[in-house]
Amino acid sequence: MRLRQLSLTAVAATAALVLAACGQQESIGGGDTAPAPDVAQDVQFEAGTTMAEIAEAGTIRIGTKFDQPLFGQRALDSTLTGFDTEIGRIIAAQLGIEPDAIDWVEAPSAQRETLIERGEVDLVVATYTINDTRRESVSFAGPYYQAGQTLMVRSDNTDITGPESLRASGARVCSVTGSTPAENILEYIDPAQLTLFEAYTQCRDSLGNNQVDVVTTDNVILSGYVSESDGAYKLVGETFTEEPYGIGITKGDVAFCEFINETLTEAEASGAYEAAWTATAGTIDPEVPTLPEFDPCS
Ligand code: GLU
């Protein structure tokens, strides 16, 4: 994880410089969309399953982030790019759903369980860490990727070197309500040091305005903001947690969980998983991840 963190930071910095020099700053961060996945034709699923219901409806409601470059970002023309949105498209395709028939629903960190529990989405693919607290209300397919928490600061900051430096320096730290990083960081700071917003873009803007000194969340989310910052921000220290990303679904829907896991396995074998990475987060970190071992579906 240490090497991975360093390479991600270095590549982000280099890419930002190169693209800034070419005057193409806008093109970085959001990435591109991968080639459209092959959409399964004449799909047949056992009656009564979530797969059959979605295939019958001809549409799927997918919760994702709209403001996290590299993983889920919506452009002004409403196009969504990011590794999460590509994973969503791959699952939809296996259900016979064309990319343009997907109903994308914004899923802020604190609302993901509620969206699933209320049946407002069929699944959530949104930098969503699998953990036991969340498993009390939803189930998870995957994991399909493993991230880790880290820190982002202004580039001229030399006081903050990692989570252990936060308490002594009295740093003002920002994260997001309902996220795992907001909880994990309390091991290293006093609650009064923490500001919570709904979205990481609000933290990023507060960092730029000097209202906070640190933004903390997953390395891949912060790398997206660093890559868009024209050198204003940097990552510091190593990752200090493990954040396995799962696909949230209705609690206890074992058949849908197994279907998604099979789809992910096939996507890795066919090269669709790699293509999804390369077109998105791979623009910053070219090292294609391997699919982690799945948790049992329950
Ligand atoms: N992966 C972490 C979580 O699920 C942080 C990212 C996020 O808030 O989406 O809470």
Side-chain angles (χ1 to χ4, degrees):
M1 195 45 98
R2 173 156 191 242
L3 277 175
R4 182 158 195 84
Q5 165 85 63
L6 290 174
S7 82
L8 204 68
T9 314
V11 174
T14 312
L17 280 176
V18 169
L19 289 185
C22 300
Q24 291 176 355
Q25 185 65 20
E26 271 95 20
S27 66
I28 197 167
D32 219 336
T33 46
D38 289 336
V39 177
Q41 302 298 317
D42 302 322
V43 290
Q44 299 277 346
F45 297 106
E46 198 183 321
T49 60
T50 303
M51 294 81 84
E53 279 167 24
I54 293 170
E56 166 80 10
T59 183
I60 182 169
R61 298 156 310 159
I62 302 182
T64 198
K65 297 296 183 76
F66 283 4
D67 66 346
Q68 293 181 187
L70 308 181
F71 270 69
Q73 186 171 49
R74 195 167 69 158
L76 286 178
D77 67 359
S78 294
T79 316
L80 269 163
T81 52
F83 189 57
D84 280 342
T85 52
E86 293 302 338
I87 295 290
R89 287 184 182 106
I90 288 170
I91 297 165
Q94 211 51 26
L95 291 160
I97 312 286
E98 298 283 345
D100 58 10
I102 299 172
D103 181 6
W104 295 103
V105 178
E106 187 169 18
S109 299
Q111 290 176 32
R112 293 173 291 198
E113 288 90 272
T114 309
L115 285 168
I116 296 168
E117 285 181 298
R118 289 196 186 151
E120 289 174 27
V121 294
D122 297 301
L123 58 88
V124 165
V125 55
T127 59
Y128 197 8
T129 296
I130 301 172
N131 68 23
D132 288 344
T133 311
R134 291 171 178 169
R135 275 211 183 98
E136 286 170 18
S137 41
V138 302
S139 289
F140 288 99
Y144 61 93
Y145 181 72
Q146 169 125 330
Q149 184 171 350
T150 192
L151 310 177
M152 178 172 83
V153 299
R154 287 179 294 278
S155 294
D156 59 5
N157 186 317
T158 49
D159 302 336
I160 297 166
T161 49
E164 283 81 11
S165 63
L166 295 175
R167 205 185 300 267
S169 64
R172 299 163 299 171
V173 180
C174 191
S175 197
V176 158
T177 312
S179 71
T180 48
E183 288 176 23
N184 301 332
I185 201 66
L186 290 172
E187 195 183 315
Y188 301 97
I189 60 173
D190 298 329
Q193 287 177 263
L194 185 61
T195 299
L196 294 177
F197 285 118
E198 293 294 303
Y200 296 110
T201 38
Q202 293 167 290
C203 285
R204 176 205 59 192
D205 295 346
S206 296
L207 184 67
N209 295 337
N210 222 337
Q211 288 166 331
V212 299
D213 306 303
V214 182
V215 182
T216 188
T217 186
D218 301 339
N219 54 348
V220 286
I221 299 173
L222 296 175
S223 289
Y225 297 134
V226 167
S227 73
E228 289 189 339
S229 78
D230 208 4
Y233 308 134
K234 64 181 179 183
L235 304 190
V236 287
E238 299 170 15
T239 54
F240 52 93
T241 68
E242 292 187 350
E243 308 289 332
Y245 286 176
I247 293 157
I249 57 173
T250 303
K251 185 169 166 65
D253 194 342
V254 172
F256 194 30
C257 173
E258 285 171 352
F259 170 82
I260 294 171
N261 285 350
E262 279 161 30
T263 300
L264 292 170
T265 303
E266 281 168 31
E268 188 171 50
S270 72
Y273 178 88
E274 176 174 348
W277 179 265
T278 304
T280 59
T283 57
I284 299 297
D285 179 6
E287 191 187 323
V288 180
T290 49
L291 205 52
E293 196 178 321
F294 299 138
D295 293 347
C297 289
S298 60

